[in-house]
Amino acid sequence: MNAAPFPHEIACLALTSPNTLDAIRNDIARYSSLPAYAVGDTTACAARKAGFKHVFSASGDIQALADMIRREAPIGPVFAPGAQRPAGDLPALLPDRNVIRLAVYATDETDVTIPEDIDLALVHSPRAARALAKLLSISPRPLDVIAISQAAAQPFSGFSDVHVTIADHPDEDAMLRTLGNSSSAV
């Protein structure tokens, strides 16, 4: 990783996606003894599997992660490797902390179309929601959406043929429980 801080220069890591762990897998050993604060349970599980010894889950969204770091993390710089264009602004949520952001992966939209036989989509982020809403604006159609959060549901607010259900907790398990209660074909 270019421009990554040395472990002795940081107090902890903030992890916002399992994608981060895939991207830094060759450098995890350098940081594995530091506390790792994860946005949710899936990311926390991935961090443990990757070798981090001290992992804490905010079990929520970026705001929950910032709140947990503010309350529980050791004083000092927070290393936040993540997406090139992060969905949330962790440095803005932690103005009293030195948050060292480093882009370690990118997510890019593709030119795919929605297959005709799909009537339900699981939307895991606001960025994915905006991409799907863009496709629906070009080719409108009925669709059920299970969104991970209010922020991921918001891009569909102007679509009359899109029925959005927000998971009761911002994680994959809650989305799958919601899917199990859905009337749409799977």
Side-chain angles (χ1 to χ4, degrees):
M1 291 186 299
N2 280 342
F6 290 104
H8 70 273
E9 297 174 328
I10 60 174
C12 63
L13 285 89
L15 303 171
T16 56
S17 170
N19 293 330
T20 297
L21 295 154
D22 290 338
I24 68 168
R25 70 180 157 271
N26 293 333
D27 292 301
I28 287 175
R30 291 175 58 190
Y31 300 103
S32 64
S33 65
L34 292 167
Y37 294 86
V39 69
D41 298 338
T42 301
T43 303
C45 182
R48 287 183 194 96
K49 285 181 181 177
F52 281 93
K53 295 171 182 64
H54 311 285
V55 179
F56 308 93
S57 175
S59 298
D61 59 11
I62 192 80
Q63 182 65 58
L65 177 61
D67 292 344
M68 182 175 65
I69 290 171
R70 193 176 299 104
R71 277 190 325 270
E72 300 174 17
I75 299 301
V78 177
F79 179 34
Q84 185 177 33
R85 294 182 322 243
D89 189 354
L90 191 61
L93 295 172
L94 293 170
D96 296 336
R97 298 294 292 260
N98 177 17
V99 178
I100 304 165
R101 286 244 335 113
L102 178 65
V104 295
Y105 72 93
T107 55
D108 297 310
E109 289 183 35
T110 64
D111 293 329
V112 300
T113 58
I114 304 168
E116 287 301 317
D117 59 344
I118 299 295
D119 63 356
L120 184 137
L122 299 177
V123 179
H124 291 80
S125 71
R127 182 174 295 117
R130 288 188 298 273
L132 181 56
K134 180 179 170 185
L135 290 173
L136 289 169
S137 70
I138 295 167
S139 181
R141 58 177 288 186
L143 188 67
D144 287 330
V145 171
I146 298 173
I148 197 164
S149 66
Q150 179 64 43
Q154 192 282 326
F156 304 105
S157 62
F159 293 90
S160 60
D161 283 348
V162 177
H163 175 261
V164 180
T165 304
I166 301 170
D168 63 4
H169 197 265
D171 64 28
E172 180 84 9
D173 289 341
M175 292 177 75
L176 293 175
R177 281 193 306 275
T178 303
L179 175 63
N181 295 329
S182 172
S183 60
S184 294
V186 179

